């Protein structure tokens, strides 16, 4: 079992894990995993078995934008279209 990084360490890092994104955005793990699988959250993965790494600032901003669109009533396909357009 791995030890969680402190919030200070997370905020100082350029890259974060999906678990750290959960903490930063107060989103559910399953929601962020779904967004990743739908291609809505870009990530880097050096090798097949390594953890996906997300660019912290860009990904947090994208999650906040997705949350805003969801609050406006947009569906996942509509949000994906918005992301492609921006």
């Amino acid at each position: 079992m791995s030890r969680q990084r402190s919030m200070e360490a997370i905020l100082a890092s350029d890259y974060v894990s999906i678990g750290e994104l959960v903490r930063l955005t107060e989103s559910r793990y399953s929601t962020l995993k779904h967004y990743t699988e739908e291609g809505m959250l870009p990530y880097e993965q050096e090798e097949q078995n390594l953890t996906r790494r997300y660019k912290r600032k860009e990904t947090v901003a994208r999650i906040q934008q997705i949350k805003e669109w969801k609050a406006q009533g947009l569906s996942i396909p509509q949000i994906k279209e918005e992301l492609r357009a921006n």
Side-chain angles (χ1 to χ4, degrees), residues 1-5 17:
M1 192 157 138
S2 64
R3 194 171 73 84
Q4 287 187 350
R5 293 196 296 173
S17 70

Side-chain angles (χ1 to χ4, degrees), residues 55-72:
K55 291 183 179 179
R56 181 181 52 82
K57 288 181 182 177
E58 294 88 341
T59 307
V60 168
R62 182 171 275 218
I63 291 166
Q64 295 306 329
Q65 182 63 66
I66 291 169
K67 284 183 171 187
E68 287 177 29
W69 285 326
K70 294 273 301 166
Q72 294 170 13

Side-chain angles (χ1 to χ4, degrees), residues 27-28 30-41 62-63 65-85:
S27 300
R28 292 177 53 190
S30 59
T31 300
L32 298 183
K33 183 138 176 78
H34 177 70
Y35 291 167
T36 298
E37 291 168 354
E38 288 290 323
M40 298 164 66
L41 298 179
R62 182 171 275 218
I63 291 166
Q65 182 63 66
I66 291 169
K67 284 183 171 187
E68 287 177 29
W69 285 326
K70 294 273 301 166
Q72 294 170 13
L74 271 65
S75 67
I76 294 294
Q78 290 170 320
I79 291 171
K80 287 170 73 172
E81 193 60 40
E82 288 290 334
L83 289 170
R84 277 192 287 275

Side-chain angles (χ1 to χ4, degrees), residues 5-14 16 24 56-57 60:
R5 293 196 296 173
S6 69
M7 188 57 75
E8 184 177 279
I10 292 169
L11 292 172
S13 179
D14 290 335
V16 294
L24 288 170
R56 181 181 52 82
K57 288 181 182 177
V60 168

